[in-house]
Amino acid sequence: MAKTKELSKDTRKRIVDLHQTGKSESTIGKQLGVKKSTVGAIIRKWKTYKTTDNLPRSGAPRKISSHGVKMIMRTVSKNPRTTRGDLVNDLQRAGTTVTKVTISNTLQRQGIKSCSARRVPLLKPVHVQARLKFAREHMDDTAEDWENVMWSDEAKVELFGINSTYRVWRKKNTELHPKNTIPTVKHGGGNIMLWGCFSAEGTGRLIRVKDRMNGAMYREILSQNLLPSVRALKMKRGWVFQHDNYPKHTTQGTKEWLRKKYLKVLEWPSQSPDLNPIENLWREWKVRVARRRPLNITALEKICMEEWAKIPATVCANLVKTYSNCLTSVIANKGYVTKY
């Protein structure tokens, strides 16, 4: 039997209006050209629900019971790397047969979706405790305290190495036209290493590290670029220098150089790049560099310098201003990696 066409809202409203004037179902049906049984159904719905709109339908029952949902939620909560196949097998052993698609739909209704696991530094218990200690010791530091810190780090930039997805508008069978492709080379085409620094006042110097870094080279970088950056950004007396625990940063020669220069160094927990706000600058800066699509190492270096210089001072200031949020996140996450 063919499915009858649904009555419009206006027709349903006219049926109710005519019923309220005292007309019978037969009379209303003849006047509007609608079956008497349909008129009766519309009137009964209006009397019961005070509406003629379509009501929510219950639909087919869920294949996974509430008990089954709780079971798979406990499983993925305990082990997020559990596969859909594992969950299908777990439910089958419990007497419920479902597909992987049903598993996905069920988890999505619970606010859980499959995502790529992020790669983060390996944190041993000693690292976790050091991070918590750092966060707790500095929780009461003021925004002015952080504004007096010069943050630094090294960054490696790959030529054709940004894993970005570009979309193009093209016609069918033109996917290999040069305009519709992104040139790539084996092994990323090379890379460059750079050292940079910044404070709440803006970006400091950015320089390319052309040779394999050692303690002597690092001290030369600091001598020729850190101190000039401090002067250019007009850091206040008593400013603090931040760098991580990379072995070349912590050689005895470097420690002695810092001591002779009377530089105050921020004690830093190992394996903690997420605590350094310069990582946020690197991330945005690399995206900007990739958008310009440098074709060789010389162009890559030039573009890196240009894009670093374009970073607004307000961006730097905001990163430093909200740094206390980072410390709060570390404590809330019990010392593990944060999203800051």
Side-chain angles (χ1 to χ4, degrees):
M1 181 182 293
K3 186 177 180 179
T4 57
K5 185 177 180 180
E6 186 178 82
L7 296 181
S8 67
K9 287 186 177 182
D10 288 341
T11 301
R12 283 177 275 173
K13 184 177 184 301
R14 289 186 65 191
I15 288 173
V16 173
D17 291 341
L18 291 171
H19 169 71
Q20 289 179 315
T21 63
K23 292 187 176 181
S24 66
E25 295 177 3
S26 299
T27 302
I28 295 172
K30 290 178 182 178
Q31 183 174 335
L32 299 179
V34 178
K35 290 182 180 180
K36 177 183 176 182
S37 60
T38 301
V39 172
I42 295 294
I43 293 172
R44 286 192 297 274
K45 176 185 283 189
W46 177 79
K47 287 181 177 179
T48 303
Y49 301 106
K50 299 302 178 184
T51 181
T52 60
D53 292 341
N54 291 329
L55 300 174
R57 295 173 173 83
S58 60
R62 302 291 188 197
K63 291 185 177 181
I64 302 178
S65 66
S66 58
H67 176 73
V69 172
K70 290 179 181 178
M71 184 181 75
I72 64 175
M73 285 296 292
R74 281 196 303 269
T75 301
V76 297
S77 177
K78 185 176 181 179
N79 182 14
R81 297 183 186 180
T82 302
T83 66
R84 293 185 303 170
D86 293 336
L87 295 174
V88 167
N89 293 335
D90 289 346
L91 287 173
Q92 192 165 20
R93 285 191 289 270
T96 302
T97 301
V98 295
T99 65
K100 293 180 180 179
V101 174
T102 300
I103 293 291
S104 295
N105 293 338
T106 301
L107 289 174
Q108 286 177 10
R109 283 194 293 270
Q110 302 301 315
I112 304 293
K113 63 179 182 178
S114 177
C115 303
S116 298
R118 294 190 180 184
R119 296 184 180 275
V120 299
L122 173 64
L123 294 179
K124 298 179 180 179
V126 64
H127 299 139
V128 173
Q129 292 305 314
R131 288 163 58 86
L132 281 172
K133 180 174 180 289
F134 175 84
R136 288 166 178 159
E137 287 181 349
H138 292 283
M139 270 302 296
D140 294 330
D141 290 0
T142 65
E144 289 73 21
D145 292 328
W146 296 117
E147 288 172 2
N148 216 29
V149 175
M150 178 68 84
W151 307 89
S152 72
D153 196 15
E154 291 84 19
K156 183 170 72 172
V157 185
E158 299 275 354
L159 184 63
F160 306 129
I162 302 295
N163 294 322
S164 300
T165 299
Y166 294 95
R167 304 188 71 84
V168 296
W169 295 102
R170 65 173 178 81
K171 294 182 179 180
K172 188 177 180 180
N173 298 325
T174 63
E175 63 272 15
L176 296 180
H177 189 283
K179 289 184 177 180
N180 299 330
T181 63
I182 300 172
T184 63
V185 295
K186 288 184 178 180
H187 313 301
N191 62 73
I192 60 175
M193 180 70 72
L194 302 106
W195 176 92
C197 61
F198 92 101
S199 77
E201 295 299 320
T203 55
R205 290 191 178 183
L206 179 74
I207 61 106
R208 180 180 173 185
V209 181
K210 293 187 177 181
D211 299 313
R212 188 179 181 86
M213 185 183 285
N214 54 33
M217 181 186 296
Y218 183 61
R219 293 191 292 275
E220 187 69 15
I221 289 173
L222 297 184
S223 177
Q224 295 184 7
N225 300 278
L226 173 61
L227 300 180
S229 295
V230 169
R231 290 191 289 269
L233 295 174
K234 299 179 181 179
M235 302 288 289
K236 296 178 182 178
R237 183 183 294 275
W239 62 276
V240 178
F241 175 51
Q242 180 278 333
H243 64 174
D244 60 26
N245 295 322
Y246 180 52
K248 305 305 183 290
H249 298 175
T250 57
T251 62
Q252 193 59 41
T254 299
K255 290 180 179 179
E256 185 65 17
W257 185 89
L258 292 168
R259 187 186 65 79
K260 287 182 178 180
K261 294 293 182 180
Y262 300 101
L263 299 185
K264 184 177 180 181
V265 179
L266 183 64
E267 186 175 351
W268 195 253
S270 298
Q271 297 289 85
S272 301
D274 58 309
L275 301 188
N276 191 346
I278 202 171
E279 292 295 327
N280 294 277
L281 283 187
W282 289 146
R283 193 177 303 117
E284 176 62 24
W285 166 70
K286 286 181 179 181
V287 170
R288 294 185 182 192
V289 170
R291 284 175 183 161
R292 294 183 59 179
R293 303 184 185 182
L295 298 177
N296 54 59
I297 290 295
T298 301
L300 176 62
E301 180 179 355
K302 180 175 181 291
I303 291 172
C304 283
M305 301 299 176
E306 291 173 351
E307 292 301 326
W308 182 255
K310 289 180 184 177
I311 296 176
T314 52
V315 172
C316 300
N318 287 335
L319 282 174
V320 175
K321 183 179 180 180
T322 59
Y323 189 66
S324 60
N325 295 340
C326 175
L327 303 180
T328 302
S329 297
V330 172
I331 295 173
N333 210 27
K334 299 179 181 179
Y336 286 93
V337 176
T338 72
K339 293 194 296 183
Y340 176 77

